[in-house]
Amino acid sequence: MKGILLILANMLILSTLSHGQRLTPIDEFNYPAEKELGKPWVLFGSEDRPICRKDQPGNNGYITWGPTNDADGEKKEHAGASLPITVIPTKSIYTYFFRVRADTDSPNHSFGLSSKKKPINFDSLETQILLHTYEGSLSLFTRDGADLKVAFSDIEQGKWYNIWMVVNMHNKSYDVYLTSDHKGKATMDDMIARDQRFRNGYMDLLSFQMIATSYGTNEAYGASIDDLYHVPKKFLANPSK
């Protein structure tokens, strides 16, 4: 039964694509009012403060979350959120799209996909993009097996970016494309990482979308994210437009 539902869901998405209609986001966070992130999202880590919170400038909703340090600057455990998604089957290609923004000059936030039923921190990510600093510059790192590599080192604080993570389940790898917020479609020139290997590599299924943050600062919110989409093919258009 689950297999039939998955096929029907994918057929619906592909039909939507073929007719040029707007894709349905997994979450675009346009809630009626500001609130803590709730079900079906699962929060983990520090529980004495909101881990993910929806903010709203104008009419656009997005989520943002802040420091994992307490008021005295003491580091807390990793904190974040995970969301069950349609299982990405073996021998398939999926595109994971989202928008991200650095809200301080020292964020330390990871985004990606996990195969664990209960992901608990960024170590649970098979595919991973890390927003952090490198040699004084705001940078995006990508997970390549056991390594994290700088893929783009000119991130501007306070600016939204589009990210496409094209996941290839045939060889357990993924490519990453990056554009500025207002660009409608990514091209090969926008690829910032190619053939990045999964952390473990032997995982057959990726079944959780996960956002995880490690240690931030105790001064301000570290990063924001918006417009989450999964598309069952290589898809480089901007679905949020």
Side-chain angles (χ1 to χ4, degrees):
M1 184 64 182
K2 289 183 179 179
I4 295 174
L5 291 175
L6 176 59
I7 292 172
L8 291 174
N10 288 345
M11 288 176 62
L12 176 61
I13 294 175
L14 290 173
S15 174
T16 301
L17 291 175
S18 66
H19 289 84
Q21 298 173 2
R22 187 174 185 269
L23 291 173
T24 300
I26 294 173
D27 204 333
E28 58 185 352
F29 308 108
N30 290 331
Y31 308 134
E34 181 174 327
K35 67 175 185 178
E36 293 182 23
L37 199 61
K39 293 181 178 180
W41 287 90
V42 179
L43 306 185
F44 57 87
S46 304
E47 296 183 359
D48 58 345
R49 63 173 182 81
I51 297 173
C52 294
R53 189 170 66 181
K54 183 259 183 184
D55 205 348
Q56 192 167 3
N59 295 320
N60 179 55
Y62 61 90
I63 64 167
T64 185
W65 66 96
T68 52
N69 295 6
D70 62 19
D72 297 323
E74 181 180 352
K75 289 182 178 180
K76 298 180 180 180
E77 60 185 318
H78 297 295
S82 64
L83 176 68
I85 61 170
T86 300
V87 172
I88 301 177
T90 305
K91 298 183 180 179
S92 65
I93 294 177
Y94 262 64
T95 300
Y96 169 30
F97 173 90
F98 59 97
R99 299 194 305 132
V100 68
R101 184 185 71 190
D103 295 327
T104 71
D105 59 4
S106 57
N108 193 353
H109 293 70
S110 292
F111 317 92
L113 298 167
S114 174
S115 60
K116 293 186 177 180
K117 188 173 183 179
K118 292 184 179 181
I120 57 173
N121 56 43
F122 70 86
D123 290 333
S124 301
L125 291 170
E126 285 293 318
T127 67
Q128 179 185 2
I129 292 174
L130 170 66
L131 180 61
H132 199 27
T133 55
Y134 177 73
E135 295 184 346
S137 298
L138 276 170
S139 302
L140 284 178
F141 296 72
T142 55
R143 165 67 57 186
D144 187 13
D147 301 320
L148 279 169
K149 301 177 179 179
V150 175
F152 190 81
S153 57
D154 293 315
I155 296 295
E156 296 181 31
Q157 182 178 334
K159 180 178 179 179
W160 284 100
Y161 290 87
N162 304 313
I163 294 178
W164 291 259
M165 179 185 288
V166 182
V167 179
N168 188 332
M169 294 298 292
H170 294 268
N171 58 11
K172 307 296 189 295
S173 70
Y174 63 104
D175 302 330
V176 179
Y177 297 78
L178 176 76
T179 71
S180 59
D181 183 45
H182 299 294
K183 190 168 183 179
K185 183 178 181 179
T187 67
M188 292 301 294
D189 292 337
D190 299 312
M191 182 186 290
I192 61 172
R194 180 192 296 271
D195 294 333
Q196 305 296 280
R197 297 163 296 162
F198 289 6
R199 178 187 294 271
N200 295 306
Y202 56 80
M203 298 297 182
D204 290 332
L205 301 174
L206 294 178
S207 57
F208 280 83
Q209 170 176 292
M210 189 172 87
I211 303 171
T213 172
S214 59
Y215 301 137
T217 71
N218 60 358
E219 298 174 353
Y221 288 94
S224 298
I225 191 171
D226 197 7
D227 297 334
L228 308 179
Y229 292 82
H230 277 119
V231 186
K233 60 185 291 185
K234 182 177 179 179
F235 182 75
L236 297 182
N238 186 339
S240 68
K241 293 297 184 183

